[in-house]
Amino acid sequence: QSTWGQILEEMVFCCQSNETNELTEIGSPRHLKGQSLINESEKLSKQLESFAWTIPWKDTHEEDGTSLSWYPPEDSPIILAKGVTVINASPEAIMDFLRSKDNETFAKRIKQIYGELAKKTDMAMMDNGIVYVWFHVSFGVAWAQDREYLFTYRYYISPNGTYYLIFTNLDKWDKHPVNSQLVRVRFPYTSGYIVEPIGENQCRVTFVTSIDFKGWIPLWFANRISKTNGKVVTQVRKQVEAIANGKEN
């Protein structure tokens, strides 16, 4: 296990039943609801903060208004990446952008962040507050097989007013079975956003992520991509501020 926190190992096991349209358990530990879900979200938010603030990040530098850095865990070839920026908007406006409430808006947001790399998207808001997310992305090079992301995200607000959007791996969603033409990526470590109000309509937003691209792909290529993943928060800033100024792309 990593010095800086535990690897996420199937912390949420749930799928959508085609017959009942209800969430059903497909593994252990149990499917979380109510106070258990809140407790688990609080635990994950603290883990995300631990990654963000206690890791000895490397190569910290400013790029386009965002502080970027990365870290190679001792026990894994998969690096972590971080981006920190200040967004001139309320935390509610930022979270509204990040956690879309319908497929059409979600598809639009993903396109705004990832551009033409994102080919297809899907999402579903479940009755326990967890959102299922799927999207198909291309590396943009002919020899690299396209990837798909399948995960959940959850929304949490701490007592001190800090907002979190936390990503966890999802092993199964009947709507999107395994596709032999795509490689399904994983989050080896806790990933997500921390949104901290620092003034009126101003927040510091931290994005921490770690992606195992799986499949056959050179490690040098995967790490080159991973080191730039913190730039995602730059696009989030530009889009949120454009919306706030009535200039949405």
Side-chain angles (χ1 to χ4, degrees):
Q1 290 184 333
S2 168
T3 304
W4 303 105
Q6 297 180 344
I7 296 175
L8 286 176
E9 290 287 353
E10 322 321 335
M11 298 199 73
V12 177
F13 286 82
C14 48
C15 68
Q16 185 177 22
S17 166
N18 291 330
E19 292 75 27
T20 64
N21 200 35
E22 293 177 350
L23 288 171
T24 55
E25 183 172 302
I26 62 171
S28 179
R30 71 199 180 289
H31 173 56
L32 301 171
K33 288 190 177 184
Q35 188 60 45
S36 294
L37 180 63
I38 293 172
N39 292 343
E40 191 65 31
S41 297
E42 182 179 15
K43 174 183 173 183
L44 288 172
S45 70
K46 290 179 179 178
Q47 190 177 61
L48 186 62
E49 280 196 335
S50 176
F51 285 146
W53 309 128
T54 66
I55 285 178
W57 295 93
K58 297 181 179 294
D59 191 29
T60 300
H61 64 283
E62 292 285 328
E63 187 173 323
D64 197 9
T66 297
S67 174
L68 301 172
S69 51
W70 61 278
Y71 175 74
E74 299 169 359
D75 59 350
S76 171
I78 310 300
I79 69 171
L80 289 95
K82 181 173 75 167
V84 184
T85 195
V86 172
I87 299 180
N88 293 311
S90 68
E92 294 82 7
I94 296 168
M95 296 306 291
D96 281 346
F97 177 87
L98 291 173
R99 59 182 204 119
S100 308
K101 297 177 176 63
D102 60 79
N103 257 318
E104 183 178 355
T105 306
F106 174 70
K108 182 177 182 179
R109 299 305 184 220
I110 289 295
K111 285 286 187 181
Q112 288 172 326
I113 294 173
Y114 294 97
E116 294 306 311
L117 291 179
K119 292 187 173 182
K120 301 176 183 177
T121 62
D122 195 7
M123 65 165 287
M125 178 74 76
M126 297 301 172
D127 61 359
N128 63 348
I130 292 179
V131 177
Y132 288 8
V133 175
W134 174 91
F135 68 95
H136 173 184
V137 64
S138 169
F139 281 129
V141 291
W143 51 265
Q145 194 171 2
D146 286 359
R147 264 52 181 177
E148 64 173 349
Y149 292 69
L150 182 63
F151 60 96
T152 68
Y153 69 70
R154 64 187 72 189
Y155 174 75
Y156 176 71
I157 308 175
S158 72
N160 69 0
T162 299
Y163 291 63
Y164 302 85
L165 193 67
I166 307 163
F167 307 149
T168 56
N169 295 307
L170 178 63
D171 286 322
K172 181 180 178 182
W173 186 5
D174 290 345
K175 191 175 179 181
H176 293 285
V178 174
N179 184 339
S180 62
Q181 301 302 310
L182 302 172
V183 176
R184 186 165 291 179
V185 305
R186 301 282 292 176
F187 295 114
Y189 300 92
T190 309
S191 297
Y193 292 90
I194 303 171
V195 179
E196 305 168 274
I198 58 174
E200 185 175 359
N201 290 325
Q202 189 175 68
C203 297
R204 178 170 54 241
V205 180
T206 302
F207 177 59
V208 177
T209 186
S210 174
I211 300 174
D212 183 352
F213 289 107
K214 298 291 186 180
W216 188 90
I217 183 172
L219 184 60
W220 65 265
F221 183 72
N223 282 341
R224 187 177 74 178
I225 295 173
S226 294
K227 286 180 181 179
T228 67
N229 281 339
K231 293 181 180 180
V232 166
V233 78
T234 302
Q235 293 304 314
V236 171
R237 183 190 74 235
K238 290 179 178 180
Q239 295 299 330
V240 170
E241 291 185 350
I243 292 170
N245 294 321
K247 299 179 180 179
E248 182 176 5
N249 297 331

